[in-house]
Amino acid sequence: VSGPVEQAFTMNLAHEAGFLQGQGKPTLVLVEEGSERGMENWTNAAGLVAPRFPADESAFDPENENSLVSILRHWIESVKTAERQRYD
């Protein structure tokens, strides 16, 4: 996706991510390797958690530390830790 469609998509995604973060919701945006340019175009992406995952089948290999499974496990654990600390 490129041009005006890409711009509209990234602007909408940035808006929605900001809305969720503003409500204190844990937010994770996953970026496929090679798609970083869209992230760089955001003006308000500072501080947004946006790990990169492989653009090939290794993205689905749970043994790969950069796979979607590994990224999600790490993120879920960090959210749980933050929640525990919040109520301690």
Side-chain angles (χ1 to χ4, degrees):
V1 180
S2 63
V5 173
E6 177 188 28
Q7 183 180 11
F9 175 75
T10 57
M11 290 175 73
N12 187 51
L13 186 56
H15 173 78
E16 296 298 332
F19 177 77
L20 292 171
Q21 285 184 320
Q23 292 186 8
K25 307 282 185 195
T27 306
L28 176 68
V29 174
L30 298 169
V31 179
E32 184 179 39
E33 289 176 353
S35 301
E36 292 88 354
R37 190 172 59 94
M39 289 293 292
E40 293 168 3
N41 292 337
W42 293 7
T43 58
N44 61 349
L48 185 65
V49 175
R52 277 54 173 170
F53 65 91
D56 59 18
E57 63 276 351
S58 66
F60 305 103
D61 177 5
E63 301 299 319
N64 179 347
E65 67 181 40
N66 295 320
S67 72
L68 292 165
V69 171
S70 296
I71 291 169
L72 287 170
R73 282 184 183 148
H74 176 73
W75 182 75
I76 290 168
E77 189 57 40
S78 69
V79 169
K80 286 179 179 181
T81 299
E83 286 295 312
R84 283 192 297 267
Q85 290 174 349
R86 183 174 159 191
Y87 294 108
D88 285 345

